[in-house]
Amino acid sequence: MKRNVYADNCATTALDPAAFEAMTPFLLGNYANASQPYALARAPKKALADARETIADAIGAAPDEIYFTSGGTESDNWAIKGVVGRQAGEGSRRRGVLASAIEHHAVLRAVESVRRLGAPVAYLAPDRRGVVRSEELARLISDEVALVSVMLVNNELGAIQPIAALAELARSRGALFHTDAVQGVGHVPIDVKALGVDLLSASAHKFNGPKGVGFLYVRRGVELAPFLDGGGQERGLRAGTENVAGVVGMATALQANVAALASTQAALAGVETRFLSTLNALGVVYALNSGEATRAPGVLSLAFPGFEGEALLHRLDLLGVSVSTGSACNSQETEISHVLKAIGAPDSLARGTIRISFGKQNTEEDALYVAECLAKITRTR
């Protein structure tokens, strides 16, 4: 019997009903501009302060280290361009950037943007599992590097990077460290102090919050060039009337996800085990692109030799299953993913790759159905 299974949670997640309920008052009665001094603006102003504190608490930060943005792309761009712009403005020779070759395009294209403006740029190669090792960073870092950027959880492979070790090495050489944690926040335990990062990006819609809102963690003492000029919002560094409803929804969703993190991870481990064991029992031939790397729960990059990933995606869609061939931001392109190229995946595997990302709404019955659909498709091409 056909059922609908959404298994593309790395692309976006369903809005938490509690987040929706928390947002509603700020879309209706409490709609005032939080920057205004009159009584009607007090509730929105307090809501922003409370949300900042909630988000900070969720990642081990201080409230004044949290800056609201429009999402992960803006946060990544601000972190990179803000550091390089500040260094360039001060005439420093230390304005280079090192980024991993498997970053999201929000990072890679921001890095290319500062390269065109004259900043020295280099890319860290991952190993075959999709993990950036400290030895690679030690090989490339120099006294001209101002910022190192390595994502916490790879958005295609699910591989978790050794951020604490990488950040410690970068900072020992005088560079700041940024991590794109868009796929990690709300899904894996995060403490910015334990990680040792200077900057961290997040996007609400990846952890059951609304689209169009995110945040950038900036460690106290780190100075960035302003990203948007205008009013004095976000302490004069990111102008623009605050998206109060979005921020409130983001904080509510993050708090809920963090509170349930252990149980969600355990449930996702069960879903993933059921899925892989069913594939194996049904004799489906596949390869896990991340190998033995530690992954975020439920995120699987699977290659099916002899098949095209795009064709698998469409056939699964006809059976009610939603997956992707990689990054949703690159879904219109049919070329091999830059991530799979970077880890040296053979073309035969790269072309037959799909990404399955289960979320907290998925059940073991969903996993069974997806595995059975893949078995049916791979047997009847």
Side-chain angles (χ1 to χ4, degrees):
M1 178 177 175
K2 180 179 176 179
R3 61 189 292 165
N4 292 314
V5 178
Y6 180 75
D8 195 21
N9 287 275
C10 280
T12 197
T13 56
L15 182 65
D16 188 318
F20 176 76
E21 290 296 327
M23 293 169 67
T24 303
F26 299 97
L27 295 168
L28 299 173
N30 293 327
Y31 55 81
N33 189 320
S35 297
Q36 294 300 95
Y38 41 67
L40 195 61
R42 288 175 191 160
K45 193 188 305 288
K46 184 178 186 302
L48 288 175
D50 290 346
R52 206 182 302 272
E53 186 171 344
T54 295
I55 291 167
D57 184 63
I59 63 169
D64 64 356
E65 296 176 312
I66 302 299
Y67 292 80
F68 299 133
T69 68
S70 63
T73 294
E74 182 186 328
S75 296
D76 287 341
N77 273 262
W78 186 11
I80 293 161
K81 296 173 182 177
V83 169
V84 174
R86 180 78 184 193
Q87 295 293 90
E90 294 179 349
S92 173
R93 66 182 292 272
R94 186 185 282 276
R95 53 195 183 92
V97 179
L98 288 180
S100 87
I102 56 173
E103 295 298 303
H104 188 279
H105 281 117
V107 167
L108 294 178
R109 288 173 180 163
V111 170
E112 282 300 296
S113 179
V114 298
R115 181 189 63 78
R116 289 193 295 270
L117 295 175
V121 166
Y123 297 94
L124 303 163
D127 64 20
R128 182 61 181 83
R129 304 167 302 158
V131 176
V132 178
R133 302 176 65 184
S134 296
E135 293 85 349
E136 174 70 355
L137 177 56
R139 184 178 71 85
L140 289 180
I141 198 166
S142 69
D143 291 342
E144 69 178 5
V145 173
L147 180 69
V148 176
S149 183
V150 179
M151 67 199 324
L152 177 61
V153 176
N154 185 264
N155 58 299
E156 293 191 26
L157 303 172
I160 298 176
Q161 307 299 321
I163 296 300
L166 295 170
E168 182 179 16
L169 174 57
R171 294 179 65 181
S172 74
R173 297 291 297 272
L176 297 174
F177 194 94
H178 164 251
T179 188
D180 174 340
V182 165
Q183 296 293 348
V185 172
H187 301 290
V188 298
I190 292 178
D191 183 320
V192 291
K193 301 298 188 296
L195 289 176
V197 298
D198 300 289
L199 303 126
L200 179 146
S201 303
S203 188
H205 77 102
K206 304 292 189 176
F207 51 81
N208 305 100
K211 296 176 179 67
V213 64
F215 67 87
L216 178 66
Y217 158 78
V218 183
R219 182 178 59 81
R220 283 177 182 166
V222 173
E223 297 184 346
L224 298 179
F227 192 64
L228 292 174
D229 296 315
Q233 294 90 351
E234 298 307 293
R235 299 182 283 290
L237 294 177
R238 198 276 187 187
T241 300
E242 298 92 345
N243 177 3
V244 179
V247 167
V248 169
M250 173 169 62
T252 303
L254 181 55
Q255 186 176 48
N257 273 23
V258 169
L261 191 56
S263 60
T264 299
Q265 287 190 322
L268 281 172
V271 169
E272 182 179 310
T273 297
R274 181 68 178 276
F275 172 70
L276 293 176
S277 63
T278 303
L279 284 184
N280 294 333
L282 294 174
V284 177
V285 177
Y286 68 93
L288 185 60
N289 287 316
S290 58
E292 297 303 313
T294 302
R295 291 178 290 103
V299 182
L300 298 150
S301 175
L302 298 175
F304 296 85
F307 292 87
E308 292 289 327
E310 188 174 0
L312 290 173
L313 181 155
H314 290 302
R315 292 193 65 182
L316 285 169
D317 189 35
L318 291 173
L319 295 171
V321 178
S322 300
V323 301
S324 77
T325 54
S327 172
C329 302
N330 201 36
S331 62
Q332 300 305 310
E333 300 180 17
T334 57
E335 64 181 39
I336 293 174
S337 154
H338 71 282
V339 172
L340 297 180
K341 286 181 180 178
I343 66 173
D347 282 3
S348 60
L349 294 183
R351 293 190 182 282
T353 289
I354 59 172
R355 180 189 66 189
I356 295 173
S357 46
F358 293 112
K360 65 182 184 179
Q361 84 283 1
N362 291 121
T363 64
E364 292 190 24
E365 287 71 29
D366 289 339
L368 174 64
Y369 181 71
V370 177
E372 289 175 340
C373 287
L374 280 167
K376 178 180 179 181
I377 292 167
T378 55
R379 287 173 180 168
T380 60
R381 57 174 170 172

